[in-house]
Amino acid sequence: MYQRPENLNEIQENNIFSTLHDRRRRSKEGGGKKRIENQHKKGKLTARERIELLVDENSFNEIDSFVTHQSTKFDMAGTKPYGDGVVTGHAKISGRTIYVYSQDFTVFGGSLGRAQATKICKVMDLAIKTGNPIIGLLDSGGARIQEGVASLAGYGDIFYRNTQASGVIPQISVILGPCAGGAVYSPALTDFVLMNKENSFMFVTGPEVVKAVTGEEISFYDLGGSNVHSSITGVCHLVGETEEDTLDLVRKLMAYLPSNNLNDTPSDQHLLDVNTQQNLRELIPAEEDEPYDMKSILGIIVDSDSFLELQEDWAKNIIIGFSRLNGSTVGIVANQPLYLGGAIDFNAADKASRFIRFCDSFNIPILTFVDVPGFLPGIKQEHEGIIRHGAKLLFAYSEATVPKISVIVRKAYGGAYIVMSSKHLGTDVNLAWPTAQIAVMGSEGACRILYRSKLIGVDNPEQILKEFTEKFKEEFANPYQAAELGYVDKVIFPEETRNEIIVSLSILRNKREQTPRRKHGIFPV
Ligand code: HXC
């Protein structure tokens, strides 16, 4: 006869707890030892190792670790790894909460099926509801082939949430492996895309499809590697040498961002070392067309070592990035005379306008440094749509209601004067250095047009042109006509700039601006 063991409760209890123990252990196995070894052999970290590197020590709190796919086709019922190829949860970065998902390439190549998509959507929803940033670490073969349209639906659900979250919480995508097919559109919808130099790839159609359709042969790297997306397409904002570097860059970037569109940006009082401002005078060349590095000027004015440049190698004629003044985050937009003389081309307009919109959504003041000879002339520029792209920049500056401050350093010519945060687009504080030249166009070009008839038939046209040009410069190539009209609020010595900006930022802190009631404007995309 059956005898009830005296310690039955204990046995049951042990079973109950060991089941959870066992499940937890299995949920950490991913695709198994061999696939993890393969991942390491490729120089890649696992999904969990990446999260550990990204977040504060012991702060990761995983959810949904027992989720499995429900697919039965292609013998899938026999392989149901816990977690379904993505690790999700919340954690802290520098003490602030973030939500994170990290695709696990060792499970079905990190491919996205219904269950994985539902997990990602859950953390996105939580991030939106709780007002915390979402960070995705992507390493995936794309839509899970075995699940068909269910996996496509999963992508659709993610894209929808990316769009709903836009302007509400910062969204950061870190590409640490393949990101192929339609899957690229989630990162493309987010605010910042970071790539790892060697091992990350993004393309809509891979090398094999390209070869089949167009006959072109190209490697993964040359088609969609970090170099392509950081210097040609502009998809990528920051590139890390290694995965560790890339994840460290995410932490650096986070330090400038608020948790959501209603929170303040974190301030950092550690970088209050101030550079000697007197040196600024020496950085502007005497010759008006001589190039110089605008970054050397920025580096002196902002808090020491606080400038984090974004999209550094794309559209180099305009500089964008975050920095700090007196410890507070500002977004910087600046012409770069070292490239194309600082002229605005279609890529520069795209680059700056998107950044301005990010700053505006997240209450980050926009600080603009101007040295621009105009829009870049040329058939390519006209035919590639400089009209449409340039309009984006006008729109972005005009619609931005955050504090806007501009400093005209040297040239501010023609339409580019207007577009680069002029008073006419609602900029709050417009400053100019004595070296500023605010005019319809460059002095010599203007004189060639104005005095064309006087230069015909004379013996020494170049000498006469030079004289006219000198006179014109005295009259117009300065900031004083604009100051007389109130378009420039103040002409300042370069060494006064930092202080003027800090005072302006504090005055503008409580700025409120009403915009007309409407659903939304039509951004000229
Ligand atoms: C299911 C996949 C998969 C996928 C890879 N795997 N991609 N399983 N669905 N999409 C599996 C492989 O079968 C393999 O399983 C494991 O992941 C590792 O793959 P490998 O090919 O061995 O790795 P590697 O040589 O590093 O190559 C990685 C890769 C390649 C370049 C990503 O796997 C690949 O080309 N995959 C297909 C990419 C693709 O075309 N995806 C669909 C895009 S269309 P085992 O069991 O052997 O470990 C798309 C539509 C989205 O995504 C639409 C949104 C709008």
Side-chain angles (χ1 to χ4, degrees):
M1 195 178 113
Y2 172 75
Q3 284 222 314
R4 186 177 190 278
E6 274 177 15
N7 61 347
L8 180 68
N9 284 350
E10 207 181 306
I11 291 168
Q12 278 179 337
E13 232 172 52
N14 280 341
N15 280 343
I16 287 167
F17 290 127
S18 66
T19 304
L20 175 58
H21 205 276
D22 187 47
R23 275 183 171 249
R24 278 200 178 168
R25 184 185 49 75
R26 282 166 52 204
S27 75
K28 301 219 168 23
E29 285 171 357
K33 225 171 157 188
K34 201 159 166 264
R35 288 195 181 88
I36 291 175
E37 273 171 22
N38 275 345
Q39 179 85 345
H40 286 155
K41 266 189 214 151
K42 287 180 194 161
K44 292 163 69 179
L45 298 170
T46 65
R48 284 170 198 284
E49 288 166 346
R50 288 167 176 164
I51 291 177
E52 291 305 320
L53 279 173
L54 173 70
V55 304
D56 296 350
E57 209 176 339
N58 295 326
S59 71
F60 180 55
N61 198 319
E62 186 172 356
I63 56 174
D64 280 343
S65 59
F66 298 152
V67 164
T68 58
H69 69 77
Q70 303 302 318
S71 184
T72 50
K73 294 183 179 137
F74 301 96
D75 297 329
M76 291 285 278
T79 319
K80 287 193 163 202
Y82 284 141
D84 202 46
V86 69
V87 181
T88 60
H90 57 84
K92 304 262 188 209
I93 289 185
S94 304
R96 294 159 64 212
T97 301
I98 55 112
Y99 279 86
V100 62
Y101 69 89
S102 179
Q103 290 179 315
D104 185 349
F105 191 80
T106 69
V107 176
F108 305 125
S111 58
L112 186 131
R114 183 65 264 169
Q116 180 178 135
T118 305
K119 280 183 71 173
I120 294 173
C121 288
K122 188 192 271 188
V123 279
M124 291 180 80
D125 287 341
L126 284 165
I128 297 168
K129 278 192 274 193
T130 59
N132 290 301
I134 178 93
I135 302 174
L137 311 183
L138 289 90
D139 186 2
S140 164
R144 189 170 300 164
I145 295 161
Q146 298 91 326
E147 293 197 34
V149 69
S151 67
L152 299 182
Y155 274 118
D157 292 344
I158 293 170
F159 301 158
Y160 179 77
R161 280 164 178 78
N162 284 137
T163 310
Q164 298 304 310
S166 181
V168 181
I169 51 169
Q171 302 183 79
I172 300 175
S173 303
V174 193
I175 317 298
L176 297 168
C179 180
V184 296
Y185 286 112
S186 175
L189 287 166
T190 62
D191 303 312
F192 302 104
V193 176
L194 289 86
M195 291 180 83
N196 173 30
K197 193 166 183 189
E198 298 297 339
N199 276 333
S200 56
F201 311 100
M202 295 177 81
F203 35 70
V204 175
T205 49
E208 280 178 32
V209 180
V210 168
K211 189 176 175 200
V213 176
T214 69
E216 297 163 301
E217 286 193 43
I218 192 159
S219 69
F220 275 53
Y221 187 78
D222 290 338
L223 184 63
S226 61
N227 190 37
V228 169
H229 291 304
S230 60
S231 65
I232 300 175
T233 67
V235 166
C236 173
H237 294 81
L238 289 164
V239 179
E241 284 289 322
T242 61
E243 290 201 13
E244 286 84 346
D245 291 338
T246 313
L247 295 166
D248 194 48
L249 281 170
V250 179
R251 292 179 64 92
K252 288 205 172 99
L253 173 61
M254 277 291 302
Y256 294 91
L257 310 181
S259 293
N260 59 60
N261 61 337
L262 301 176
N263 275 189
D264 290 335
T265 49
S267 75
D268 186 341
Q269 301 296 327
H270 295 110
L271 297 166
L272 282 184
D273 257 9
V274 178
N275 296 298
T276 313
Q277 302 293 301
Q278 287 297 342
N279 296 344
L280 286 169
R281 288 193 188 200
E282 289 138 37
L283 295 175
I284 301 293
E287 289 303 315
E288 68 175 34
D289 288 327
E290 202 179 315
Y292 63 93
D293 187 356
M294 181 65 93
K295 285 186 219 170
S296 60
I297 289 181
L298 302 178
I300 290 178
I301 292 172
V302 300
D303 295 355
S304 304
D305 298 326
S306 72
F307 185 49
L308 177 68
E309 187 173 0
L310 301 169
Q311 294 173 314
E312 188 176 352
D313 292 323
W314 180 59
K316 290 179 171 190
N317 41 331
I318 208 153
I319 301 166
I320 60 164
F322 294 114
S323 196
R324 290 203 176 80
L325 270 131
N326 234 7
S328 301
T329 301
V330 289
I332 291 189
V333 179
N335 307 115
Q336 172 57 292
L338 274 188
Y339 297 95
L340 303 175
I344 299 169
D345 66 345
F346 52 82
N347 280 336
D350 258 19
K351 174 175 165 179
S353 57
R354 182 166 173 157
F355 180 69
I356 291 163
R357 295 196 101 201
F358 178 87
C359 292
D360 189 43
S361 292
F362 289 97
N363 301 312
I364 298 173
I366 300 161
L367 184 53
T368 303
F369 288 85
V370 185
D371 187 347
V372 62
F375 285 94
L376 186 68
I379 298 168
K380 183 172 161 68
Q381 290 298 314
E382 297 296 338
H383 288 186
E384 292 278 349
I386 186 68
I387 296 175
R388 190 162 50 81
H389 295 287
K392 294 177 190 174
L393 197 48
L394 280 166
F395 198 108
Y397 268 123
S398 300
E399 99 179 318
T401 57
V402 286
K404 292 184 283 191
I405 300 168
S406 83
V407 182
I408 301 178
V409 170
R410 193 170 62 170
K411 294 175 198 165
Y413 291 165
Y417 151 71
I418 304 170
V419 82
M420 287 304 293
S421 200
S422 66
K423 182 63 81 197
H424 323 291
L425 305 186
T427 295
D428 304 292
V429 176
N430 294 82
L431 305 168
W433 289 4
T435 45
Q437 304 167 21
I438 306 169
V440 174
M441 59 171 68
S443 306
E444 193 186 306
C447 290
R448 278 190 194 279
I449 296 169
L450 275 181
Y451 303 113
R452 183 173 292 152
S453 58
K454 295 198 167 128
L455 296 170
I456 296 171
V458 291
D459 294 342
N460 51 352
E462 287 309 313
Q463 180 57 32
I464 293 175
L465 177 67
K466 210 171 157 199
E467 285 164 22
F468 281 136
T469 304
E470 284 311 313
K471 258 187 152 174
F472 188 94
K473 272 188 190 166
E474 270 171 41
E475 187 74 21
F476 288 112
N478 60 58
Y480 298 109
Q481 190 200 10
E484 284 163 19
L485 292 167
Y487 302 155
V488 160
D489 299 299
K490 239 174 159 176
V491 181
I492 56 171
F493 292 107
E495 60 272 21
E496 294 171 337
T497 311
R498 177 180 161 88
N499 221 22
E500 283 288 343
I501 295 169
I502 289 172
V503 170
S504 303
L505 285 171
S506 79
I507 302 292
L508 294 169
R509 186 170 298 136
N510 297 325
K511 179 187 172 190
R512 292 281 175 273
E513 200 167 293
Q514 293 293 326
T515 49
R517 276 175 64 83
R518 61 182 167 187
K519 192 170 174 193
H520 56 71
I522 319 298
F523 192 69
V525 285

